[in-house]
Amino acid sequence: MANTETYNAHFQWLHSIPMRLKQYRVSLAEFSFLVSFPINFIVGKTIHWCGPEEEVYNYYNNKNNVFNQIFVKRGWFWTTVVLVAFYGVIFTSTTHSYIKDTPYSQRMHLLRRTLMRYLVMTVWWVLFTQWCFGLPLMDKVFVYTGGKCANVSSAAVAGMEAFFTATSSPAVYESNKITSYMCRRLKGTWQGGHDPSGHVFLLTHSSLYLFHEILPYWDWSRAQAAVTNFRSHNGSVRELVLTLPHLVVASLIGLWWFMLLMTNIYFHSVGEKFVGLMFGFVAVAVVYYMPRWR
């Protein structure tokens, strides 16, 4: 009897989760996806701490691996391409039930709101990783906590002397006025300071953005019908993608989530990854959640 009562109590608690989330205007799907990123963080560090060396250090520990070079380093480009393709299908299709009967004026309203969200998310990506009235935010944090670009040769600083300071070693310079990107180009080393993970930020920021953009257009019954039709009638991949463009976006989200796990296993300290993760949530909270709570 006691076990039955405990089971019922736990079942009722689980069953009440969607209703409790509704009070905060968050769906169960959104909550599950949001929570997956802290879980990714925890799992990555657990693997790093507990996994045997032959499992921890492998192909993905090399920053020159193909996924990192082709996709992650151009992460916002791929995010943009996939999202443009998704909305290209959504807004031009005559078969999608969630848009086909929408009046032209309302479609334009939806498109303007879509472009505004993209602009805000892009600006936040630029401010954190590219430029923020000088150094990007992630480099400002690094410099303000004592970091600098060190071990730069005199040949590399030619014409940029105003940004560098000579060190006690001959023909070696250092600077706290240039970006981490420029430091790498000059073959310097990023030393000292707290270095928020740009990879964690980008992968979290992009994944959350893509997920929240496609969620309003998701229809389980339509997805099931499209997949069933593809499997039973040997349909073409092109037809499946045009019917269910969410698959392309979901594939990129899956790659981002996997590469985030690799980053959590192999690179940066716990604190640096945690700060990158938190910054990755900022724009999503402002764009998708604050308007609801307000």
Side-chain angles (χ1 to χ4, degrees):
M1 179 65 72
N3 289 338
T4 301
E5 291 177 354
T6 301
Y7 169 81
N8 289 334
H10 290 169
F11 178 80
Q12 291 297 326
W13 182 82
L14 290 172
H15 188 69
S16 68
I17 289 177
M19 293 301 298
R20 282 187 283 173
L21 290 173
K22 210 168 185 179
Q23 296 175 355
Y24 300 99
R25 296 181 171 86
V26 178
S27 71
L28 182 59
E30 289 171 331
F31 177 76
S32 300
F33 194 69
L34 291 170
V35 169
S36 74
F37 289 88
I39 291 175
N40 187 309
F41 176 81
I42 294 170
V43 170
K45 290 313 298 179
T46 301
I47 292 174
H48 182 76
W49 286 331
C50 303
E53 184 173 333
E54 62 269 20
E55 293 182 11
V56 171
Y57 299 101
N58 57 34
Y59 177 72
Y60 298 102
N61 193 32
N62 183 349
K63 291 184 178 180
N64 294 319
N65 72 74
V66 65
F67 297 105
N68 189 57
Q69 290 296 315
I70 295 179
F71 292 100
V72 177
K73 285 186 177 295
R74 298 169 176 82
W76 197 247
F77 166 78
W78 290 112
T79 296
T80 300
V81 168
V82 165
L83 202 63
V84 168
F86 173 79
Y87 277 116
V89 174
I90 292 296
F91 280 98
T92 61
S93 174
T94 58
T95 60
H96 287 287
S97 59
Y98 31 64
I99 202 74
K100 69 176 183 178
D101 297 325
T102 304
Y104 177 80
S105 60
Q106 191 172 343
R107 287 195 187 198
M108 290 301 98
H109 177 68
L110 290 172
L111 182 58
R112 284 193 296 270
R113 290 175 65 88
T114 298
L115 291 174
M116 183 58 67
R117 291 194 300 270
Y118 174 77
L119 179 62
V120 173
M121 301 300 281
T122 300
V123 167
W124 182 236
W125 167 73
V126 169
L127 290 175
F128 189 78
T129 66
Q130 306 298 309
W131 175 88
C132 181
F133 305 96
L135 298 179
L137 286 173
M138 66 179 189
D139 290 348
K140 287 182 186 293
V141 171
F142 180 77
V143 169
Y144 291 161
T145 54
K148 61 186 176 182
C149 179
N151 301 322
V152 183
S153 68
S154 57
V157 304
M160 302 174 59
E161 289 81 2
F163 296 96
F164 287 86
T165 304
T167 65
S168 55
S169 301
V172 177
Y173 291 79
E174 62 185 25
S175 174
N176 60 3
K177 299 177 181 179
I178 64 172
T179 66
S180 54
Y181 172 76
M182 181 59 69
C183 185
R184 289 192 299 271
R185 289 199 60 180
L186 298 177
K187 301 189 184 321
T189 54
W190 208 229
Q191 291 184 356
H194 180 89
D195 185 19
S197 175
H199 273 48
V200 171
F201 164 80
L202 170 66
L203 296 171
T204 303
H205 176 72
S206 296
S207 298
L208 291 171
Y209 171 51
L210 290 172
F211 174 82
H212 286 85
E213 283 298 303
I214 69 172
L215 187 60
Y217 301 98
W218 181 255
D219 184 335
W220 278 108
S221 59
R222 183 181 181 83
Q224 185 177 9
V227 173
T228 300
N229 181 66
F230 174 76
R231 296 177 60 184
S232 59
H233 296 90
N234 295 321
S236 67
V237 174
R238 179 179 179 276
E239 181 182 351
L240 177 63
V241 170
L242 289 176
T243 306
L244 202 62
H246 314 70
L247 292 176
V248 178
V249 183
S251 297
L252 186 63
I253 292 175
L255 176 62
W256 285 170
W257 205 91
F258 173 75
M259 292 309 296
L260 178 62
L261 179 62
M262 296 302 102
T263 302
N264 281 327
I265 293 174
Y266 302 127
F267 304 106
H268 287 278
S269 68
V270 173
E272 291 169 346
K273 285 181 287 199
F274 181 75
V275 171
L277 181 68
M278 292 299 99
F279 273 104
F281 274 83
V282 171
V284 172
V286 170
V287 172
Y288 298 99
Y289 292 97
M290 285 183 63
R292 306 180 196 176
W293 299 332
R294 184 183 63 182

